[in-house]
Amino acid sequence: AASVALLTAIAMTGLSAENPAHAWVEILLLATAFVVVNGHGITGSPFGAIIDSRNRMSMSRLQILTWTLIVISALAAVILWNITRSDTPMDIKVPEELWVLLGISTAGVVGGAVVLANKDEKAANTAEAQATAEKLAAPQDHGSVVVRRGEVSEALFADLLRGDEVGNALSIDIGKLQMFLFTFILAAGYGAAIYAMLKNAMEANAAVHALPGVQEGMNVLLGISQTGYLAMKATPQSKAPEPPK
């Protein structure tokens, strides 16, 4: 019921908008609320959309969710604004560079999952795992170097920037930190471009048939941060397991 109400609110906000720029911001917030409601309904946590199978908040999930919400809300705002101003309200060009950007974000989620799946087969150093478990207050008795939390409710925002192994789960992962900063800066910049485009459309009372372009440098920066993120994730960060007695 909450999901239907939020989708209805998104449609009404766009159709009744006098200022499409403001409507886009409201639609973005409503779409975020939609994700929160469904995250809570499915996982029991309002942040369920960014919590992975290890019950930890994932930086790569946050990145792809951020870009998805920005693009989807922009398309919704533009289509609803165009309905009374164009015979083809859905004729909207999405720049190829934007698809590349979304592809880079998707690669981070897939690549990160593959790396962690491989690491999950590696045995942890018992002493290191126990020390990490005590400080995290999360038992690590599964025997793997990959850190897990027992319940979804135990996921923390700190996990977004912490390492994934028992050897670095208590320190900042520089690859995650870099990706977080680049994502925040680039998303804010593209959001500003969307707002300016819709503000100009309001002043001209004209339909919009293309989303703002993405500068090549944005994809280069995002690609660099994604490469660093995956490289740090693939690098072993924990001690070797004790030899058998």
Side-chain angles (χ1 to χ4, degrees):
S3 296
V4 172
L6 287 167
L7 291 175
T8 303
I10 287 173
M12 295 303 296
T13 298
L15 290 172
S16 62
E18 296 181 0
N19 185 331
H22 291 172
W24 168 65
V25 175
E26 293 173 14
I27 290 173
L28 177 59
L29 294 176
L30 289 168
T32 302
F34 179 86
V35 172
V36 169
V37 165
N38 283 275
H40 185 274
I42 294 171
T43 69
S45 169
F47 308 107
I50 60 173
I51 297 175
D52 60 20
S53 59
R54 299 169 298 129
N55 295 325
R56 302 184 76 210
M57 293 194 186
S58 167
M59 184 62 238
S60 57
R61 280 174 173 258
L62 176 62
Q63 183 191 58
I64 193 172
L65 179 62
T66 298
W67 285 112
T68 299
L69 286 172
I70 289 175
V71 174
I72 291 298
S73 61
L75 285 172
V78 169
I79 291 171
L80 294 170
W81 170 259
N82 285 351
I83 285 178
T84 58
R85 295 168 178 82
S86 173
D87 295 331
T88 55
M90 297 187 67
D91 181 18
I92 303 168
K93 180 181 178 182
V94 179
E96 292 182 5
E97 295 82 4
L98 187 56
W99 293 126
V100 172
L101 185 150
L102 291 172
I104 292 173
S105 299
T106 303
V109 175
V110 176
V114 171
V115 170
L116 288 180
N118 291 330
K119 284 190 174 184
D120 207 23
E121 299 177 357
K122 297 180 180 180
N125 181 286
T126 304
E128 187 175 47
Q130 289 177 348
T132 299
E134 290 175 1
K135 293 179 180 179
L136 286 179
Q140 303 297 316
D141 51 9
H142 52 280
S144 168
V145 296
V146 178
V147 170
R148 299 178 184 275
R149 293 191 182 276
E151 302 291 340
V152 170
S153 59
E154 297 175 3
L156 301 176
F157 283 105
D159 294 335
L160 293 172
L161 300 180
R162 282 175 171 168
D164 298 304
E165 297 183 35
V166 293
N168 67 343
L170 300 173
S171 58
I172 291 179
D173 185 320
I174 195 65
K176 291 185 177 183
L177 178 62
Q178 183 188 63
M179 189 166 77
F180 178 84
L181 293 174
F182 279 8
T183 299
F184 176 78
I185 293 171
L186 296 179
Y190 192 69
I194 292 173
Y195 189 90
M197 174 197 71
L198 292 173
K199 185 178 179 181
N200 291 335
M202 178 195 67
E203 294 173 351
N205 194 28
V208 176
H209 292 292
L211 293 184
V214 176
Q215 298 298 320
E216 184 178 350
M218 287 179 62
N219 281 338
V220 171
L221 285 176
L222 197 62
I224 291 173
S225 70
Q226 202 69 259
T227 301
Y229 166 76
L230 292 175
M232 289 294 295
K233 189 178 285 290
T235 304
Q237 304 289 340
S238 304
K239 297 178 181 178
E242 301 90 338
K245 295 182 181 179

